[in-house]
Amino acid sequence: MALEEFRLGDWQVCPKSYELIANGTTIQLKHKPIAVLSDLARHAGEVRTRQELLDAVWSGAHVGDDVLTHCIWELRQALGDDRRSPTYIQTVHGRGYRLIAPVSWQGADASDDARDTVQEPDATHSPDLGFPADSAARLLLPRVERTWIEQALAQSLEGRDPLTVPLGLRPDLVAHPWGKLRPAEAPAPGEAELTAEPLLASFERLQRAVLLLGDAGSGKTVALLRLAEQALERARQTPSEPVPVILHLASWKDRSQPFEAWIADEIHSRYYLPRADVHDWISSNRLLLLLDGLDEVEASRRQHCVRAFNRFREAMPLTAVAITCRLTEYEALQASGAALLMAHAVELQPLTQQAVRSSLSDAPDVEDTLSRDAELDQLARSPLMLAIIRRIVERAPEQLREVSEGAADGGSRRAQLLYAYIRSCLRTSGAFPPYSERQTVSWLSALATDLNRHDRAVLQTEELQPSWLQGRRWRLAYVGVTRMTAGLLLGLTQAWLVILLGTTAAVVLQKFVLGAAGGATVALIDLLLMRGASSPAQGSRWPGPLRRLAYSLGIGGAFGVTAYAVCQAFSPGRALAEGVIFGLCAALVLRRDPAEIRMGSDIRTFESLTWSWRKALMGWLRASGLLYLLLVVTGWLAGRLSGDPGEFLKLIINALFLGGIPALLLGVQRGWVDGKTRPNHGIWLSVRSMLLGAGLVTIGTLVSTVAFLGLLRTGLLGPLVFLEAFDLVPDPKLLLTLGSTMVLLSALWFGGYEVLKHYALRLLLALQGRLPAALPRFLDYAARRALLRKAGAGYLFFHPALRSYFATIGGTDESSDEMPD
């Protein structure tokens, strides 16, 4: 049941329409602040802790305290409340918030159930979003809102207090669809300003195709987020309106990829939605594309990106779109003949002196400082720098005086402000911080450098790849460590197997050495294929099945030769048999596409288990064929096969039955979970898949053991010649021992190997000094210090200018105790 309306002091609160009404004035709120207010009303007079409010309103989603703080700030702004002498919402320091104004519910018979239910629009109410109940598009709106509005916008430096930034029209900077023929009433460049209306209204008036330009720190990204916020509210209330989606153009790399395919890939990878549905939404104009950072596209690819976008615009002229770019980079593009095909361009103007003084009205000392320092006063015209000045004043006002007086030596005044801001963020009181200033700056510098190098704005820890390692030796070490560790684990499994079977110490050592040698073999082959940081392996022009067959034969042959050489040193009489067995098993299990063996994509999370009957059938046939060959070869090597056709028939039955076990492994495919919201979520899901897969295989092995013994006693399976070749008796002890060893093998198969590679990479990055070993903990610390901010399951710097500043100091001497300027 939806929550009934209620009165809060002089205000009538309408949760259904998200409105506050008093004395003929109506204030429209977003649904999260109204949900917070409703929860406080249900517990009027009680102290609600921050965690209780986060749990009640955000339902366990991974958001920071800043989101709740921003909601409380919006409520106080709407209610005209004062934090210092509150009338409605009281801050109980160290505990939470309390609603102190009288609350009266509409209707004397309003039930308790009605009061305990907040109307919360979410992904399960498709009518609110205007999409069919079976459409994945209903998931896009809440994901954009949670990631970019409730987190990124609420935590942005400039977004803390909304500023009115002047917008000047620049029709001279875009390639108009009508060519040189422009409307007669079009204003001259910079003549008209759009400041008296909401961004969404300006966007509509400018034909839903706008290029947002401005200098660094002028507020382009925040303007894009505010446009998304207004468009989200409209899409929620008007189902026919397009749903905004924010994408970072920095990830555009493939010159030959159509722009709509890039959009589908980005929405699939960032919002976890099907590519096919995204193509449908694009073709039906259901999306408002908000593309941030054209200037962050690699310079050599920028013109190609503009041309790809223009082809997309020509094909889909009705798609609503807004793009941000720095003015200087875009003017260079225009000079090279690569202007965007857009309806209008808008330039964000510097703030007026009156707006700056008004924003700093509660800090008269700062106003005096700005009036004496013309250069600092000019910097404050930038929304970013103004927000940074305010943050410095709140935390360490003496540092602003040092900047003004020139005490911060070296660098430009802008760099000095960023330096002072970082120091103010890292200043602590009371307990010692978990990381020193030098460590924090060093790691954030490396992180900024790597994000720029990989053309990314957002870091998700599970997306770390070995290409993040600096230097060829470290990348070679990664390949060697991961492959050798997996080989040693397999060697331990084999050693455990023969120990249970009561063999000699020499055989145990042989199995251990064989596993280690196998890992070294895979490492060597993968190193030969990973010549580039992220380039595909040689032979990628071949068809996929042929590439996989070539890799399978190559790895099988290498394994066979390695196994033969190892066994020749321990038991020469079985060297050939074991070489053939291990070679065939490696060819079956390690069959993969060599084009996928890349430094930039070596780690792939195994977040869920899905079943494919087609893959299981194909795996069963391949496994049966290889096992049949294995049985024939081992039987021939053991000298047990005769010319009796019945023997070969029983070998076929052997192969078809035993081939079902690897078919189970091949039929279970990796899957991805939609809507990951926590850092490192994909890795923990891979751990879950590893444990689940190992459990399923263990159960399946026990069941198949009983069936195997039953068929063995009937004589249908015939002699197990490959066991007899090694003096092994097919009894329950052998089969249960084989089943116990399958636990580790299946754990590695179902995600354990990916988890191993991820944490090995994290360890090497820590040893290299680029990132801490406890990476999520450090990222959370940096987010609490307002140097990073959370965006869904990832992290990004508070502003690209801050990321650029950290990247410029990334090559400084890390042994110094002082932070560089």
Side-chain angles (χ1 to χ4, degrees):
M1 183 182 297
L3 180 68
E4 298 292 339
E5 297 180 4
F6 61 94
R7 290 198 66 83
L8 178 65
D10 297 331
W11 293 92
Q12 180 76 14
V13 182
C14 305
K16 292 183 179 180
S17 56
Y18 317 120
E19 291 178 340
L20 299 179
I21 303 173
N23 300 323
T25 300
T26 301
I27 296 178
Q28 188 78 33
L29 289 175
K30 298 188 289 292
H31 75 275
K32 289 300 184 185
I34 204 74
V36 171
L37 184 60
S38 300
D39 184 83
L40 290 172
R42 292 199 306 274
H43 302 86
E46 304 175 13
V47 177
R48 292 287 282 171
T49 67
R50 300 178 70 87
Q51 191 58 50
E52 287 174 342
L53 286 168
L54 290 172
D55 292 341
V57 177
W58 280 270
S59 303
H62 189 76
V63 297
D65 287 351
D66 285 349
V67 177
L68 177 58
T69 302
H70 188 75
C71 284
I72 296 294
W73 178 85
E74 287 190 0
L75 289 172
R76 284 175 172 153
Q77 291 290 107
L79 294 168
D81 203 12
D82 187 355
R83 179 174 61 85
R84 296 177 181 85
S85 56
T87 303
Y88 296 95
I89 303 175
Q90 178 187 30
T91 300
V92 182
H93 294 287
R95 296 181 63 190
Y97 301 97
R98 176 168 51 203
L99 195 66
I100 58 177
V103 176
S104 58
W105 300 93
Q106 184 180 38
D109 58 346
S111 67
D112 292 337
D113 290 339
R115 300 182 186 185
D116 290 338
T117 306
V118 179
Q119 183 189 17
E120 175 65 22
D122 58 19
T124 62
H125 294 84
S126 57
D128 291 339
L129 307 181
F131 295 111
D134 59 347
S135 173
R138 61 192 172 89
L139 298 175
L140 182 57
L141 192 150
R143 293 181 188 186
V144 172
E145 184 172 38
R146 181 171 58 248
T147 300
W148 296 111
I149 306 305
E150 296 176 1
Q151 292 184 345
L153 180 58
Q155 300 173 24
S156 65
L157 286 171
E158 307 98 305
R160 192 175 186 183
D161 292 326
L163 292 170
T164 301
V165 181
L167 305 176
L169 291 175
R170 294 295 304 271
D172 58 313
L173 292 180
V174 291
H176 197 274
W178 293 98
K180 296 182 179 180
L181 298 176
R182 298 181 181 274
E185 66 274 11
E191 177 183 320
E193 290 188 354
L194 309 170
T195 57
E197 58 186 355
L199 277 171
L200 185 60
S202 299
F203 181 73
E204 293 293 326
R205 190 153 62 83
L206 298 178
Q207 303 173 15
R208 295 192 176 192
V210 178
L211 170 63
L212 286 171
L213 297 167
D215 296 328
S218 60
K220 301 181 296 296
T221 299
V222 171
L224 199 72
L225 293 176
R226 295 205 180 282
L227 178 59
E229 180 183 34
Q230 297 169 19
L232 280 168
E233 289 298 321
R234 183 183 65 177
R236 190 179 298 281
Q237 298 182 15
T238 307
S240 60
E241 292 295 338
V243 176
V245 56
I246 298 174
L247 303 173
H248 282 288
L249 280 167
S251 63
W252 193 90
K253 294 182 179 180
D254 190 350
R255 299 178 180 181
S256 61
Q257 184 182 32
F259 202 79
E260 56 269 27
W262 172 81
I263 295 171
D265 287 346
E266 282 296 292
I267 294 179
H268 169 72
S269 61
R270 301 301 172 190
Y271 298 96
Y272 311 106
L273 295 172
R275 290 184 179 87
D277 287 354
V278 176
H279 284 292
D280 292 340
W281 304 336
I282 294 173
S283 61
S284 57
N285 300 311
R286 295 308 314 273
L287 298 179
L288 163 55
L289 301 175
L290 303 177
L291 310 177
D292 192 24
L294 177 60
D295 52 281
E296 295 187 32
V297 178
E298 187 178 335
S300 60
R301 302 189 182 104
R302 208 170 289 156
Q303 290 189 22
H304 299 278
C305 181
V306 170
R307 295 189 183 103
F309 172 79
N310 287 344
R311 287 192 293 269
F312 169 75
R313 281 281 293 160
E314 290 172 349
M316 302 296 301
L318 299 181
T319 299
V321 61
I323 300 181
T324 68
C325 185
R326 289 186 183 180
L327 181 60
T328 53
E329 279 80 356
Y330 184 77
E331 287 177 336
L333 276 173
Q334 188 191 34
S336 65
L340 285 170
L341 187 62
M342 298 285 276
H344 292 278
V346 173
E347 181 183 357
L348 279 72
Q349 307 291 330
L351 296 172
T352 64
Q353 189 178 53
Q354 181 181 1
V356 173
R357 295 296 188 268
S358 176
S359 178
L360 297 172
S361 59
D362 57 345
D365 293 341
V366 180
E367 293 188 56
D368 295 340
T369 302
L370 295 181
S371 63
R372 294 192 304 268
D373 191 329
E375 185 178 0
L376 196 61
D377 182 65
Q378 188 64 32
L379 281 173
R381 304 290 183 90
S382 161
L384 170 65
M385 288 298 141
L386 178 59
I388 284 177
I389 289 173
R390 294 186 59 177
R391 292 288 182 103
I392 294 173
V393 172
E394 290 176 1
R395 300 181 182 190
E398 72 281 357
Q399 293 189 12
L400 184 63
R401 289 193 296 269
E402 291 178 2
V403 171
S404 177
E405 295 169 1
D409 298 329
S412 65
R413 187 60 60 86
R414 177 187 175 90
Q416 291 173 1
L417 272 177
L418 291 170
Y419 167 78
Y421 170 74
I422 294 170
R423 292 197 64 184
S424 68
C425 290
L426 295 178
R427 170 172 291 190
T428 59
S429 59
F432 291 102
Y435 308 100
S436 69
E437 183 178 294
R438 180 185 61 82
Q439 284 178 320
T440 302
V441 172
S442 174
W443 289 331
L444 288 178
S445 299
L447 177 61
T449 302
D450 287 330
L451 286 174
N452 289 341
R453 188 160 55 91
H454 290 86
D455 298 321
R456 290 187 182 180
V458 181
L459 169 69
Q460 292 184 336
T461 54
E462 57 260 42
E463 292 182 349
L464 290 174
Q465 295 293 338
S467 57
W468 286 61
L469 291 165
Q470 291 281 14
R472 181 176 179 82
R473 288 182 300 175
W474 287 94
R475 295 176 182 177
L476 297 181
Y478 161 81
V479 176
V481 166
T482 54
R483 275 60 174 178
M484 285 291 294
T485 302
L488 289 173
L489 290 175
L490 294 177
L492 287 173
T493 302
Q494 295 181 71
W496 169 252
L497 171 63
V498 295
I499 287 173
L500 292 179
L501 294 177
T503 56
T504 63
V507 177
V508 174
L509 179 61
Q510 172 191 344
K511 300 302 181 183
F512 182 76
V513 173
L514 187 59
T521 301
V522 176
L524 180 61
I525 292 177
D526 286 354
L527 283 174
L528 293 175
L529 295 174
M530 287 182 174
R531 292 186 176 181
S534 58
S535 59
Q538 291 182 337
S540 59
R541 296 181 181 179
W542 298 358
L546 189 58
R547 293 198 302 267
R548 285 188 288 271
L549 178 61
Y551 183 85
S552 178
L553 294 175
I555 202 74
F559 250 83
V561 172
T562 301
Y564 176 80
V566 171
C567 295
Q568 190 70 27
F570 288 92
S571 52
R574 299 177 181 174
L576 182 59
E578 295 218 20
V580 173
I581 292 173
F582 278 96
L584 289 174
C585 290
L588 172 66
V589 176
L590 300 179
R591 184 174 179 269
R592 59 189 300 197
D593 189 344
E596 297 176 356
I597 305 174
R598 306 164 64 176
M599 282 289 180
S601 58
D602 188 59
I603 303 174
R604 302 176 64 199
T605 55
F606 209 124
E607 298 166 8
S608 65
L609 305 179
T610 60
W611 178 257
S612 171
W613 284 105
R614 185 180 68 84
K615 294 289 183 65
L617 177 60
M618 296 302 297
W620 181 53
L621 295 176
R622 289 200 307 269
S624 300
L626 285 173
L627 285 171
Y628 176 75
L629 180 61
L630 176 64
L631 293 171
V632 171
V633 169
T634 53
W636 172 71
L637 292 173
R640 293 293 305 275
L641 293 181
S642 63
D644 185 4
E647 291 291 330
F648 288 96
L649 178 61
K650 291 180 179 179
L651 290 178
I652 293 176
I653 298 174
N654 268 244
L656 291 176
F657 182 84
L658 296 176
I661 296 176
L664 174 64
L665 299 177
L666 298 172
V668 178
Q669 302 295 307
R670 79 172 68 234
W672 288 267
V673 172
D674 292 344
K676 294 187 286 290
T677 59
R678 300 191 305 274
N680 225 33
H681 198 175
I683 296 300
W684 287 112
L685 289 173
S686 298
V687 173
R688 186 188 68 175
S689 298
M690 174 186 73
L691 298 176
L692 179 60
L696 290 175
V697 171
T698 301
I699 295 173
T701 303
L702 294 175
V703 173
S704 62
T705 297
V706 177
F708 185 83
L709 291 175
L711 291 174
L712 189 62
R713 291 181 178 179
T714 63
L716 293 177
L717 290 180
L720 299 179
V721 292
F722 71 97
L723 292 179
E724 295 178 7
F726 295 97
D727 300 327
L728 299 177
V729 180
D731 58 5
K733 179 182 177 181
L734 170 63
L735 298 174
L736 289 174
T737 303
L738 289 171
S740 66
T741 60
M742 287 296 292
V743 175
L744 178 59
L745 295 176
S746 56
L748 287 173
W749 181 269
F750 292 117
Y753 186 40
E754 307 303 324
V755 174
L756 167 66
K757 290 191 290 185
H758 173 80
Y759 283 103
L761 173 62
R762 291 254 296 267
L763 176 61
L764 291 174
L765 286 170
L767 292 175
Q768 201 176 22
R770 300 196 62 77
L771 291 173
L775 182 57
R777 179 179 172 225
F778 169 74
L779 295 176
D780 282 335
Y781 168 77
R784 291 195 303 271
R785 293 296 172 193
L787 296 172
L788 300 178
R789 58 181 173 179
K790 294 180 181 178
Y795 296 84
L796 68 160
F797 282 88
F798 255 109
H799 194 276
L802 194 61
R803 186 179 76 232
S804 299
Y805 177 74
F806 272 113
T808 59
I809 63 178
T812 57
D813 183 8
E814 295 181 0
S815 63
S816 173
D817 291 334
E818 296 295 329
M819 186 168 65
D821 294 345

